[in-house]
Amino acid sequence: MNTMNSTRTAKLYRYQLPMDSGVVLRDNKLSQRTGYVIELEHDGKRALGEVSPLPGFSLEDTDQAGIQLQEQLELWSHNKPLTPYEELYPSVAFGLSMAMMELEGELGEQGNYRAAPLCTGDPDELIPVLNEMEGEKVAKVKVGLYEAIRDGMLVSLFLESIPDLSLRLDANRAWKPEKAKQFIKYISPSLRQRISFIEEPCQQPEDSLAFAIDNGVAIAWDETLQDAVKRPDFNLSDLTGAKAVVIKPTLIGSVERCVAIIERAKQLGIKPVLSSSIETSLGLTQIARLAHQYLPEEVPGLDTISLFQSQLEVAWPNCDLPLETLENQQLIWQS
């Protein structure tokens, strides 16, 4: 950041937005989303950043993130160096670095707003949505919530019914090896190549790897990547055997760290996919802009705005939900 003596002001808002009634995270109902928005002003420029630890997934809770965030904003507003991002909570590092990136004019305005639609039951309902998609016809199915056999039959039905469809499957470590075998048994080997990847099919990474090798199906690391980046000796090349890595910035850390993982994944021939941790429309649009800048050809996993009952400050394209402003949220600190 520019360290010249010039006017800097910072504000910290705490937001609360109601969620759709059916949102459940790791057996806990999420009735509202709570987090923070940073507002920075410097030399006539304004920038925002969202810090929203995800309950049940983030190491830090909302209060811990808020305390650390306020400390950093006090440093910044007094022209003092910030704590290195790798020493901050991931959600704080991401929101802060995103605001700084925007303030410096380093974040492009254009966003990658393509979304892989979520499939739940009827292939006929999906076809019109896919027909409007540009490029690869890719959709997503949550598996592991019901019986493995039912999931396998549903995935097979979609792949058989729509010949140009690729599917991303998200299992969230739901299966033991026997359940994973039950699932894949109902998908013929000729269809499996159109499964782009299954995110974390088994509870243990080694079981996921064995499942991939034994059944000729691609897997993606999500939680395994989140666990690995916490280690000081983290090296993406150690996460072998996966076709893709799912990068959730709120759970991974700063923009710089996310970009480094993207670039390293490309070098290793692994598909990097930027994905949501149920950020508000404000945070989602920034991740979409990041996705356009670094992964313009890849469909990001940012289809979570429908889980909210309202948007925040910045509208997601073609979203009909009402838009709340920052002024309606709680201003808890300012410089």
Side-chain angles (χ1 to χ4, degrees):
M1 283 293 298
N2 183 356
T3 55
M4 292 175 62
N5 289 325
S6 53
T7 305
R8 294 181 172 201
T9 61
K11 292 179 181 177
L12 183 59
Y13 294 89
R14 184 180 172 106
Y15 77 80
Q16 284 190 333
L17 294 181
M19 302 296 291
D20 185 272
S21 57
V23 182
V24 176
L25 289 178
R26 291 192 173 164
D27 300 325
N28 294 315
K29 189 172 179 180
L30 191 66
S31 59
Q32 63 180 17
R33 192 75 170 98
T34 305
Y36 302 94
V37 175
I38 310 159
E39 182 181 54
L40 305 178
E41 290 193 14
H42 183 217
D43 287 349
K45 296 177 184 175
R46 175 178 178 262
L48 302 173
E50 178 177 341
V51 174
S52 300
L54 187 61
F57 292 81
S58 293
L59 288 174
E60 68 277 17
D61 63 26
T62 307
D63 289 341
Q64 290 172 320
I67 291 166
Q68 193 177 77
L69 196 49
Q70 186 173 322
E71 291 170 353
Q72 297 307 305
L73 292 180
E74 286 177 349
L75 289 172
W76 181 80
S77 61
H78 289 97
N79 242 344
K80 295 179 179 177
L82 299 179
T83 303
Y85 289 137
E86 59 269 20
E87 296 175 24
L88 300 175
Y89 294 126
S91 64
V92 174
F94 172 60
L96 203 52
S97 62
M98 183 61 87
M100 297 298 175
M101 187 180 185
E102 189 166 64
L103 197 65
E104 293 288 354
E106 295 170 354
L107 181 64
E109 288 298 322
Q110 199 169 346
N112 183 348
Y113 298 109
R114 292 182 297 158
L118 190 63
C119 310
T120 51
D122 186 354
D124 290 338
E125 294 177 2
L126 182 63
I127 290 170
V129 179
L130 292 173
N131 287 338
E132 293 180 6
M133 290 183 74
E134 295 178 9
E136 182 187 9
K137 303 287 190 273
V138 58
K140 185 173 181 177
V141 178
K142 291 274 188 183
V143 294
L145 299 174
Y146 305 101
E147 278 301 310
I149 293 169
R150 173 202 177 275
D151 286 338
M153 293 172 71
L154 181 67
V155 168
S156 184
L157 174 65
F158 275 110
L159 293 172
E160 286 174 357
S161 303
I162 309 173
D164 59 344
L165 175 67
S166 296
L167 284 181
R168 296 176 177 177
L169 310 180
D170 186 1
N172 281 127
R173 294 183 170 178
W175 294 322
K176 292 183 178 176
E178 313 83 69
K179 287 285 186 185
K181 286 176 189 171
Q182 287 178 11
F183 163 80
I184 203 67
K185 189 169 68 175
Y186 282 83
I187 305 169
S188 70
S190 63
L191 296 176
R192 294 175 194 176
Q193 64 189 16
R194 287 197 283 122
I195 297 174
S196 294
F197 51 76
I198 306 179
E199 290 180 36
E200 305 273 354
C202 300
Q203 292 168 356
Q204 301 299 324
E206 57 269 27
D207 291 334
S208 290
L209 274 174
F211 168 77
I213 294 165
D214 293 346
N215 297 287
V217 66
I219 59 168
W221 295 134
D222 180 0
E223 290 93 340
T224 298
L225 175 64
Q226 294 163 33
D227 292 341
V229 296
K230 295 167 191 165
R231 297 196 294 266
D233 61 345
F234 167 65
N235 189 333
L236 189 63
S237 60
D238 293 339
L239 300 187
T240 55
K243 179 181 177 180
V245 284
V246 177
I247 302 165
K248 295 177 175 172
T250 288
L251 302 177
I252 295 295
S254 68
V255 173
E256 289 82 348
R257 167 163 262 190
C258 294
V259 170
I261 293 172
I262 288 169
E263 300 301 345
R264 183 64 179 137
K266 289 177 180 177
Q267 291 172 358
L268 294 168
I270 300 171
K271 182 198 293 274
V273 178
L274 278 167
S275 190
S276 155
S277 303
I278 317 185
E279 292 83 5
T280 71
S281 58
L282 189 161
L284 282 180
T285 53
Q286 289 187 320
I287 299 174
R289 290 161 66 190
L290 196 66
H292 183 270
Q293 199 158 324
Y294 290 97
L295 293 166
E297 304 302 318
E298 197 60 58
V299 177
L302 303 178
D303 54 338
T304 52
I305 193 64
S306 61
L307 302 178
F308 288 82
Q309 291 185 25
S310 58
Q311 305 185 73
L312 182 63
E313 189 66 17
V314 178
W316 183 260
N318 303 315
C319 179
D320 297 330
L321 293 172
L323 184 66
E324 297 276 347
T325 64
L326 276 182
E327 280 65 35
N328 289 335
Q329 306 304 312
Q330 182 185 9
L331 178 61
I332 59 171
W333 180 88
Q334 62 181 328
S335 63

